[in-house]
Structure formats: C-alpha cells, structure tokens
Amino acid sequence: MSQQSGIGQDQWKTRLGFMLAAMGSAVGLGNIWRFPYVAGESGGATFLLVYLAFVFLIGVPLLLTEFSIGKAGKMDAVGSFKKLAPNTKWHLTGIMGVIGGILILSFYSVVAGWSIFYLYQYVTGAFWTEPDGGFGAAFDAWITNPLAPLFWQALFLIVTMVIVMRGIGSGIERANNILMPGLAILMIFMAGYGMTLDGAGEGLAFLFTPDWSKLADPNVYLMALGQAFFSLSIGICGMLTYSSYLKEKDKLPAATVGVGLMDTLFAVIAGVMVFTAVFSFGVEPTSGPPLVFIILPSIFESMPAGGLIGVVFFVLLVMAALSSALSLLELPVAYIHRTLGLTRKAATAIAGSIIFVFGIAASLGFGIWSHIQVNGNNILDMMDNLTANIILPLGGLLMAFFVGWYLTRDKAIQFSEIESPLLQNIWLIIIRFVAPVVLLIIMVTSLLGI
Ligand code: TYR
C-alpha cells in the first residue's frame, strides 16, 4: 500500500460519489437545526442575503482552496501539508483541524443522539400527543437525564463508525449515495407540505423579504459568516481529507460550486420547511436552538397526521447528521491510520472512543455537570463556540495564506484547476486579500465579544 494516496489506495469510485459525499458533509444539522434558528434570531431574509453573499464570495473560493490542498497532497489533513510544505510548521493547520473535527463530532453526536431519540418517540407514537407538562418540559427532562442521552449518542457514533470502517468507496461513498437523494426527497416533500399550510405566506415573507435596516447590525455579518463556514464544512480539513481520495481526472472547480449551491439550496429548503410551519402556527421565529426539539413537535401535534410528519422530519434530521458525521470522523481516522500505522478499523475504534469520551462531557453539561459554565455557556456551547468562532475561521485563514501566499502563484493556480484566466485572478484576489481581511475582522470582533 502506498502512503502517497491517503489511506492506502482507497478512492472515490465516481466523481458523483465524491460530490454527494462532500454535499453530505456540508448538509447537516447546520442546515436543518442551526440555519433556521440563527436566521430567525438574526433577521430572516436580511440574514439570508448576507449569508448568500458570504457563501459565494468567500465560502466557495475557500472551499476550493481546501479541496486543492487535499487533492495535491493526496494525504490526510496533516500529511498533505507535510508533503506540500516539508520542514515547515504548516502541518499544524492539519493538527488543529483534526482536533477541531474531534470536538465538533463530540457535540454534534449529542444533538444527533437527541434526534434519534425523538425519531424513536415518533415511531412508537409517544410524541404524537403532547407529553405531560408539554414539549418544553419533556425536552428539558430529556437533556438533563444523565444516562439515557448517552445511549442514543453512542448508538449514533457506532453507526457512523461502522460505515467509516468500511472505507471510502464501499463505506462513506455508498452510504451517501443513499442518504443524499433520500434526504433531498424528504426535505422537498416537507417544504412542499409546509407551503400548503394556512399562513405559510408569512413564513415565506419572513425568509424572502429583507428588512434593509437590519444591514446596519454587525451581528448579522458575524452570524452569517460563522454559519457559512460551519455549513460548508470549511476550515478543519474535513473537506481536504475527502478531496485527497479523488482521482486525478476528477476536476475540482465544478464540484466545488456544486457543493456550494446544493448546501445553500438545502438551507433554503430547510428554512421554508421550518418557517412555514412556525408562522402558520403563530410561533415566534426567534426561539433559538430549541426550535427543532420543542417548537416543531408542538406544531406537529396540532397538524393533521402530525405524528407521521414528525417521523419524516426526524428521519431526515438523522440522515443529515449522519452524512456530516461521516466526514467529521474520517478526518481523525485518516490521520491516526497513517501516523500510528493501524488498520482502518482500529483507527476508527480509537477516534470514535476519544470522541465519545468528549461527547459524554458535552452531554452531561446539560444535567449533572451544568454548573461547569463560562460566561453562561455550558460545555456543548463552549465546544460549539470554540470550533465555529475560532478553529474554523482560523483554519480557513491559514489555508488561504498557505495557498495564496506560501505556494507560488503558478502552483496555487495549478492545484485549483481553474481554467479561465479571469476566474483564476478573481479567486486569487479573494483568497489573498478579501477572505483574510474579512476573516480577521470577524474573528477579532467575536473574540472581543463585540
Ligand atoms: N457542515 C456540517 C453541517 O452543516 C457540519 C460540519 C462542519 C461537518 C465541518 C463537517 C465538517 O468538517 O452540519
């Protein structure tokens, strides 16, 4: 087995397989759970507009940057940097990415575990009617319970591990070939159903009619950039790891734009799905993270055949979480596999166990460890903030510097595989100047808590 091509000779079977897997990484809890509540809190359509600008102006060019490092390096997050920049410290970007991936999956698996539990409650019919004390009390009782959420979180991680153990083509690619079309069908169905509800128009207006005065609020930009990074999976080398398994003939630019477009489409569809329901039942769109676990179940309960809608919704939430978790786990697995010289199975077992241990802390932070807080943030919030506000933007910044300034112009352009000279120049200007300036401003303001 050659050390030159990622994990042994493992490769994507087809370019479509790679694209579906990269879309699977991008489309996740970030689109369905995070996007609607962040958009709700930050001005609806105005937020969407700023978000779209960031995705296409900065997100997609940086995604191409990350992809190009992986495809040229043909190794895991750390190995690719070592190969392209031997005897330098650039590989620390990869190490930070591996740590970031472990942290994100630690808290991601907590929310994914809740989603599987909710799915189970809908399948058994337990949540078809409002539980005693209401959905809010039920959610609180559930997340503060010390043991039960850990079981569902472990179950989610085990499923993720079993798929990753099977490798790229037969594991991750195959799973995404099923998950992504399935997810698209279910989400389109749900958004379509949402539009038939009375009062749906108000939800659509909230999502699509901008309030220009909100553009003066700096927080909207901060939230939109963080969401764009999280949603496109940029900055921690998960996408880099995926692109290291590409065949030479599979070109990057079209795939990158495809991933950006699909991720945005899924976020908009999720927004339509959630806000049509929220407005038709007269609920505040700004209710924050519990939107999906408290507000939607209350809405489903008062809908005709709401129990079935609940089943569909939580199936799609679990599918979206799983397709992203695959890439979050592959990132440390590829690194551990190469550096420790272990089999893929052993590397997966080690990475999965580390993640579960951190995940236990994130889960207990809602209950018996809820006294562990910094500035009102519990353990999960801290992991979320550290990764979304610091590690992802910093990783993106370092990769922009690496390709834009460390590599020669010719190498950067060659690795990006952009053919049009005009686009080459635009891309270079963005990764050399625009992205670093915007990222620095946003990171500094968020670090200073402005
Ligand atoms: N993009 C995923 C989501 O929207 C989260 C994620 C972040 C997945 C970084 C992978 C990754 O490398 O839910």
Side-chain angles (χ1 to χ4, degrees):
M1 276 208 280
S2 147
Q3 290 269 305
Q4 298 293 307
S5 51
I7 291 191
Q9 302 295 342
D10 223 344
Q11 282 187 329
W12 303 109
K13 293 188 174 115
T14 64
R15 192 173 81 122
L16 180 68
F18 161 71
M19 284 185 65
L20 288 177
M23 285 169 192
S25 169
V27 178
L29 294 174
N31 301 60
I32 302 168
W33 166 67
R34 203 169 188 272
F35 176 82
Y37 84 73
V38 173
E41 284 173 341
S42 318
T46 319
F47 172 86
L48 178 61
L49 218 76
V50 178
Y51 172 77
L52 288 179
F54 279 147
V55 164
F56 290 99
L57 226 93
I58 297 179
V60 169
L62 279 184
L63 181 58
L64 179 59
T65 309
E66 183 167 337
F67 276 155
S68 61
I69 302 172
K71 190 171 175 202
K74 291 196 175 49
M75 289 172 94
D76 58 272
V78 180
S80 287
F81 282 102
K82 283 199 167 162
K83 195 156 139 212
L84 298 177
N87 306 318
T88 66
K89 297 267 179 274
W90 281 106
H91 66 277
L92 293 178
T93 312
I95 294 191
M96 186 178 76
V98 170
I99 296 170
I102 289 174
L103 283 176
I104 294 185
L105 190 50
S106 303
F107 76 79
Y108 210 81
S109 59
V110 173
V111 182
W114 298 346
S115 310
I116 309 189
F117 171 71
Y118 268 58
L119 171 59
Y120 173 72
Q121 297 296 83
Y122 274 97
V123 170
T124 60
F127 275 0
W128 289 41
T129 50
E130 183 143 24
D132 287 342
F135 282 106
F139 181 64
D140 280 347
W142 164 247
I143 58 173
T144 50
N145 183 326
L147 281 180
L150 295 180
F151 167 78
W152 295 93
Q153 182 185 0
L155 182 69
F156 176 79
L157 278 175
I158 288 168
V159 173
T160 311
M161 286 162 71
V162 167
I163 298 172
V164 168
M165 279 181 182
R166 299 176 71 101
I168 299 303
S170 343
I172 297 176
E173 182 168 355
R174 252 216 211 143
N176 277 298
N177 284 347
I178 301 166
L179 289 171
M180 293 315 287
L183 184 60
I185 293 169
L186 294 182
M187 283 183 69
I188 292 170
F189 165 77
M190 288 287 284
Y193 180 78
M195 287 204 268
T196 65
L197 299 170
D198 285 342
E202 263 179 79
L204 296 179
F206 176 74
L207 196 57
F208 296 116
T209 323
D211 168 1
W212 300 110
S213 66
K214 290 233 167 68
L215 284 180
D217 177 2
N219 208 37
V220 170
Y221 298 88
L222 227 127
M223 298 304 284
L225 189 89
Q227 176 63 21
F229 263 65
F230 190 81
S231 192
L232 287 172
S233 307
I234 309 171
I236 52 163
C237 306
M239 289 300 207
L240 181 160
T241 308
Y242 267 12
S243 65
S244 73
Y245 304 121
L246 271 169
K247 296 188 182 111
E248 200 39 52
K249 66 178 172 54
D250 294 330
K251 298 296 174 215
L252 292 174
T256 310
V257 175
V259 173
L261 282 175
M262 286 308 276
D263 185 54
T264 309
L265 194 67
F266 274 94
V268 171
I269 295 176
V272 170
M273 173 170 93
V274 172
F275 289 124
T276 48
V278 163
F279 276 84
S280 76
F281 285 84
V283 184
E284 276 301 299
T286 53
S287 47
L291 195 63
V292 158
F293 293 99
I294 299 175
I295 307 295
L296 285 188
S298 323
I299 294 173
F300 295 153
E301 200 240 348
S302 42
M303 278 177 174
L308 285 178
I309 296 294
V311 173
V312 173
F313 178 78
F314 284 100
V315 167
L316 75 83
L317 195 61
V318 172
M319 287 168 91
L322 180 59
S323 64
S324 295
L326 293 175
S327 79
L328 287 164
L329 184 57
E330 177 60 26
L331 166 65
V333 165
Y335 172 63
I336 292 174
H337 172 82
R338 178 183 61 86
T339 45
L340 300 187
L342 298 170
T343 61
R344 170 175 272 278
K345 281 205 171 82
T348 310
I350 290 178
S353 309
I354 297 172
I355 289 163
F356 186 57
V357 170
F358 280 112
I360 292 175
S363 180
L364 295 184
F366 287 92
I368 54 173
W369 285 356
S370 57
H371 57 281
I372 306 178
Q373 293 208 349
V374 176
N375 294 335
N377 288 327
N378 66 20
I379 299 174
L380 185 143
D381 295 333
M382 285 190 253
M383 289 179 171
D384 187 351
N385 288 342
L386 175 66
T387 49
N389 296 342
I390 299 174
I391 296 185
L392 296 187
L394 186 59
L397 185 68
L398 289 172
M399 286 190 252
F401 276 135
F402 179 71
V403 175
W405 296 103
Y406 175 79
L407 296 180
T408 60
R409 188 181 192 280
D410 288 350
K411 272 248 166 74
I413 286 176
Q414 180 202 335
F415 291 168
S416 77
E417 302 177 338
I418 304 175
E419 281 174 6
S420 136
L422 175 67
L423 290 179
Q424 290 170 352
N425 284 325
I426 295 178
W427 175 70
L428 270 179
I429 290 173
I430 291 176
I431 65 163
R432 282 186 163 176
F433 304 104
V434 182
V437 169
V438 174
L439 281 172
L440 278 173
I441 294 176
I442 304 254
M443 274 166 54
V444 169
T445 42
S446 78
L447 275 178
L448 298 179
I450 296 170

